[in-house]
Amino acid sequence: MAYEVKGVVARSKGAPVTVETIVVPDPGPGEAVIDVQACGVCATDLHYREGNINDEYPFLLGHEAAGVVATVGAGVTNVAVGDFVILNWRAVCGQCRACLKGELQYCFDTHNAAQKMTLTDGTELSPALGIGAFAEKTLVHSGQCTKVDPEAPATAAGLLGCGVMAGVGAAINTGGVRRGESVAVFGCGGVGDAAIAGARLAGATTIIAVDIDDRKLEWARKFGATHTVNSRETDAVEAIKSHTNGFGVDVAIDAVGHPAVFEQAFYARDLAGRVVLVGVPAPDMQITLPLIEVFGRGGAIKSSWYGDCLPSRDFPMLTGLYRQGRFPLEDFVSEAIGLDDVEEAFDNLRRGEVLRSVVVLDK
Ligand SMILES: NC(=O)c1ccc[n+]([C@@H]2O[C@H](COP(=O)([O-])OP(=O)(O)OC[C@H]3O[C@@H](n4cnc5c(N)ncnc54)[C@H](O)[C@@H]3O)[C@@H](O)[C@H]2O)c1
Ligand SMILES: [Zn+2]
Ligand SMILES: [Zn+2]
């Protein structure tokens, strides 16, 4: 029997989101229905609403969530009804070229539920990142569920499902930050601050936060920034060099996804340094760099999908560190809101007033 629940839908490019009744089918083979407990508002949801990801409207937004397994379909063995899970948007297939090489974090054929959730008139919904968790219930592939310690509160744990994992992973997995290294993070939103916290966790000794908003820079210090640069007022590349004996950083992370910022990251690193792009650019953005500089500076330019994470490895590790007081997951939660408040949360995100608004579902 299908469920009818409330969900937040983006119907067309740029239009304000609406709360609608959605139909969630019973889970088919390999699928699970989740009672969503909390779902963070990520900048990527806004990208979907703005048409920056694709034009497969209507979207069921929300993808940064934790909840409890309500029902499972045939053949599901990795989770059971009642398990507390964080949802992930890269359920690896185990069989593609990347998986067969043992590089599961790059899986080229990640799984989502085969069935569609719909509006009550039968219109199929495109769930954001294959999740769609601004909803009381959602349907996912069972591989998208990672069981974690139920003592981690859903509001905080859910953030590992996207932005916090993407940021931490950009630093420790993609960037490979090591003890004693220097790191610059451009853009200190939820993702950037998570990269800062990740760099601290990895033992970086110089962590330079760059943003155009002083309030964001102040918050970045809480997560571990040792220096801050307001790049609206100061030349970020020069400032970063001055904090690193004139050399630049070992790892420069662009958590904005804008050509001008990427260029700053490119020039702000030391010889043989790594540049990591974790911010999502719009499809029409271009960048031009002197090829001799790409060659001459050595090192690596990498993009970071989901922080190159493996949910099965990284979610329990980070919830464990959180419970030991070694990772400040709760500090990312700025406010708890309802399903009706997502549009306002987008405004707050754009105005830089929050790190994460988290939709909390009443149970
Ligand atoms: N790669 C991934 O897997 C992944 C996952 C989640 C989010 N993202 C992307 O990461 C980016 C950041 O997400 P977020 O949730 O932290 O967003 P956010 O809006 O909370 O943060 C963005 C920050 O960048 C700052 N900023 C804007 N323009 C800037 C500039 N020119 N120079 C320096 N700072 C600038 C803003 O002041 C803000 O603090 C988005 O593009 C989002 O889509 C990527
Ligand atoms: Zn694969
Ligand atoms: Zn996200």
Side-chain angles (χ1 to χ4, degrees):
M1 190 197 66
Y3 306 92
E4 290 204 353
V5 297
K6 298 279 175 220
V8 176
V9 174
R11 282 196 175 254
S12 61
K13 193 175 164 74
V17 297
T18 45
V19 177
E20 314 252 353
T21 300
I22 62 163
V23 181
V24 180
D26 257 341
E31 295 175 341
V33 168
I34 307 302
D35 279 322
V36 179
Q37 292 182 326
C39 182
V41 179
C42 172
T44 304
D45 291 305
L46 192 52
H47 281 309
Y48 270 105
R49 201 201 75 172
E50 298 298 311
N52 287 344
I53 309 281
N54 61 51
D55 58 2
E56 290 160 22
Y57 294 94
F59 294 111
L60 174 61
L61 297 182
H63 60 273
E64 198 174 76
V68 171
V69 178
T71 37
V72 294
V76 172
T77 54
N78 66 315
V79 283
V81 173
D83 281 351
F84 179 60
V85 294
I86 299 175
L87 301 182
N88 74 73
W89 47 266
R90 288 189 58 77
V92 299
C93 77
Q95 289 167 0
C96 71
R97 313 186 296 294
C99 285
L100 291 177
K101 279 196 287 184
E103 296 180 331
L104 280 76
Q105 74 276 23
Y106 299 140
C107 176
F108 301 142
D109 192 21
T110 54
H111 288 316
N112 295 131
Q115 298 184 86
K116 290 286 185 185
M117 292 179 275
T118 64
L119 295 171
T120 47
D121 66 3
T123 306
E124 288 188 353
L125 291 161
S126 305
L129 292 171
I131 292 184
F134 291 151
E136 293 159 317
K137 286 189 192 317
T138 191
L139 174 77
V140 292
H141 189 281
S142 59
Q144 293 180 266
C145 304
T146 309
K147 190 175 168 178
V148 294
D149 189 330
E151 285 181 41
T155 41
L159 302 186
L160 289 174
C162 186
V164 172
M165 186 67 250
V168 173
I172 66 178
N173 295 330
T174 317
V177 173
R178 294 186 292 267
R179 282 190 303 282
E181 285 197 313
S182 54
V183 179
V185 176
F186 297 75
C188 303
V191 174
D193 279 348
I196 289 169
R200 175 166 69 179
L201 201 58
T205 42
T206 300
I207 305 175
I208 305 169
V210 183
D211 204 292
I212 50 177
D213 180 341
D214 282 331
R215 183 171 34 186
K216 290 303 187 64
L217 292 171
E218 208 176 289
W219 295 348
R221 284 203 182 263
K222 275 201 319 194
F223 291 96
T226 55
H227 303 74
T228 58
V229 176
N230 184 325
S231 56
R232 209 192 276 286
E233 294 160 1
T234 313
D235 182 317
V237 176
E238 288 310 314
I240 288 166
K241 287 197 168 159
S242 77
H243 293 314
T244 50
N245 297 320
F247 297 125
V249 285
D250 297 307
V251 181
I253 299 172
D254 173 357
V256 180
H258 189 279
V261 176
F262 185 82
E263 197 168 329
Q264 288 168 8
F266 179 81
Y267 286 111
R269 74 197 160 125
D270 198 356
L271 292 171
R274 291 92 80 193
V275 182
V276 176
L277 175 63
V278 64
V280 178
D284 58 349
M285 289 175 175
Q286 305 270 337
I287 180 136
T288 305
L289 288 168
L291 196 52
I292 188 66
E293 293 286 347
V294 177
F295 176 72
R297 285 165 181 264
I301 300 177
K302 300 173 91 176
S303 53
S304 186
W305 312 334
Y306 210 176
D308 287 336
C309 75
L310 286 180
S312 56
R313 176 192 65 196
D314 295 335
F315 291 179
M317 179 265 289
L318 286 165
T319 46
L321 287 173
Y322 160 69
R323 293 198 55 240
Q324 292 172 11
R326 296 162 67 193
F327 187 78
L329 204 44
E330 259 168 1
D331 291 350
F332 290 91
V333 180
S334 310
E335 55 172 0
I337 61 170
L339 285 174
D340 292 327
D341 307 321
V342 168
E343 192 57 40
E344 197 181 327
F346 283 151
D347 290 339
N348 290 342
L349 186 68
R350 265 197 296 231
R351 284 195 297 262
E353 284 167 9
V354 290
L355 277 184
R356 278 296 186 266
S357 306
V358 179
V359 174
V360 177
L361 283 307
D362 290 323
K363 288 285 149 230

